[in-house]
Amino acid sequence: MLEQLNKDMIEAMKAKEKDRLTVIRMVKASIKQEVIDHKKEENDELLIDVVNKQIKMRKDSIAEFEKAGRADLVEKTQSEVDILMKYLPEQLSDEEVEAIIDEAFTKINPEGKKDMGKVMQEVSPKLKGIADMKKVSGMIAGRLN
């Protein structure tokens, strides 16, 4: 996926796609920052983590822009999210996520909201990068209530 990111950057330069190029450069800069700050190895797993963080930041921004009535910024930020989504593995459907959550509930047998952490700890390694963890957390919380 890192190779694809580099190819896409060159392609965006040639096609003079300024917005796409800016997003790709931000991702590359964030990856380099992670490598420097946390001495992590530059690999696809790091790319997925960085892209997920970038998407989360943009989704939070979209929510704020919607509150402020800034449709122009919502649209621009959503297009950035769409560009970033191309660098994530295919996301699981709600049914597939539910099946993994069911499996965790069977294994852990939670008794209430106090067991939320145990369930999240069980499902996180299986869903990280292939499902929206905020949504997963909401699904688990809904079941625990």
Side-chain angles (χ1 to χ4, degrees), residues 76-93:
K76 182 183 183 299
T77 308
Q78 184 59 50
S79 70
E80 291 176 1
V81 169
D82 295 340
I83 292 168
L84 289 167
M85 290 298 284
K86 294 175 187 170
Y87 300 104
L88 289 178
E90 191 171 324
Q91 302 291 293
L92 294 180
S93 69

Side-chain angles (χ1 to χ4, degrees), residues 49-100:
D49 285 345
V50 167
V51 169
N52 273 325
K53 286 178 188 173
Q54 295 279 328
I55 289 172
K56 185 177 184 310
M57 286 183 347
R58 282 169 174 78
K59 284 186 176 180
D60 291 345
S61 296
I62 288 171
E64 292 300 316
F65 294 149
E66 286 174 341
K67 285 181 190 172
R70 295 291 308 269
D72 56 329
L73 293 175
V74 169
E75 190 177 310
K76 182 183 183 299
T77 308
Q78 184 59 50
S79 70
E80 291 176 1
V81 169
D82 295 340
I83 292 168
L84 289 167
M85 290 298 284
K86 294 175 187 170
Y87 300 104
L88 289 178
E90 191 171 324
Q91 302 291 293
L92 294 180
S93 69
D94 286 349
E95 292 79 30
E96 292 167 316
V97 172
E98 285 284 350
I100 291 171

Side-chain angles (χ1 to χ4, degrees), residues 11-19:
E11 190 179 292
M13 283 181 198
K14 288 179 180 178
K16 298 190 185 329
E17 295 173 333
K18 202 169 113 181
D19 292 340

Side-chain angles (χ1 to χ4, degrees), residues 119-131:
V119 178
M120 285 299 291
Q121 192 173 17
E122 180 68 27
V123 300
S124 289
K126 297 174 185 173
L127 297 174
K128 189 175 182 185
I130 55 174

Side-chain angles (χ1 to χ4, degrees), residues 44 46 58 82 125 131 135 142:
D44 287 350
L46 180 60
R58 282 169 174 78
D82 295 340
K135 191 174 181 181

